[in-house]
Amino acid sequence: MTYPITVHPDVQVALDNHQPVVALESTLITHGLPYPTNVETASAMEDAVRESGAIPATIAIMKGNITVGITRDQIEELAQTEEGNVRKCSRRDFPIALGLQQYGATTVAGTMIIANMVGIKVFATGGIGGVHRGHPQDVSADLIELGRTPVTVVSSGAKSILDLPLTLEVLETQGVPILGYKTNVLPSFYSAKTELPIDQQIENATDAAKIIQALHDLRAQHGILITVPVPADKELPSDIAETAIHQATQEADEQGIIGKEITPFVLNRVKQITDGQSMIANIALLKNNAKIAGQIAVELSNLKS
Ligand code: PSU
Ligand code: MN
């Protein structure tokens, strides 16, 4: 990689000294949550990582510059830039965003790629992309990236706006282990549970760290997915979530929404249909995942020293 990457000094010092670092994505800022909730939530996630004893590194492309550890001002800058002027960046988008010096908000896939370039092993987000309901050919690049990039993603599973059984099949094909943090079933983002089994339940951050360490000792080139249920008091009851999701996906189909626009469209409609309840769950799980990812990163660096 000869393309320059700007790494925040705090992040670089931590990486150089094998101290814990947690990557955070930026698509949730530009395409996931409305202003100013997006800025507040991004900052709250960084605070949660710090409270766990790790250094946060929110990743984005600022006018063509890959930036690891954007500042509070840069989070604001990204959030204030019109959505149409920020490219939602998955793997395929990097040459375009870099070549044409665009703003880029990195998705799970995009954030994993950059985290791996600079040596960050743990990454926290809300939900990963998956296979879209009714569109089995619409497989998020997040799933493929998990199969080819050795970064551990801490999330609340995949949104139930997706076809979860098919999503699990693709992850299996890609060789991605799925761990459940104090759960033995897949969480579905807004709701804590599904009936879908995962590969291994873990009870604490130490066990997560041992598994991550083994991945890297194996020199494996794929990632790990750690799923953490949404905090119980902020959960969206699954019948409410399902009804809203059903309506939102149907509207997306009727309006001919396609490609990378589908996930932001459906998220926003679900928020409107649930009168903001889905966003409360979304924010709670984002902060909780950042906290747990911080604890895991701390345990991982303890294992190494
Ligand atoms: N979770 C959210 N909001 C989001 C996303 C996840 O609460 O906006 C983003 C993530 O960045 C994820 C992306 O990588 O949606 C998946 O998009 P697609 O389905 O187009 O691959
Ligand atoms: Mn897609």
Side-chain angles (χ1 to χ4, degrees), residues 88 92 129-132 137-141 162 258-263:
K88 179 179 158 190
R92 66 167 178 192
V131 182
H132 278 268
Q137 296 302 328
D138 182 355
V139 179
S140 173
L162 302 164
I258 53 165
K260 71 207 291 193
E261 312 298 337
I262 297 176
T263 299

Side-chain angles (χ1 to χ4, degrees), residues 3 64 93-102:
Y3 197 87
D93 298 281
F94 281 97
I96 304 171
L98 270 49
L100 300 182
Q101 309 217 302
Q102 296 173 345

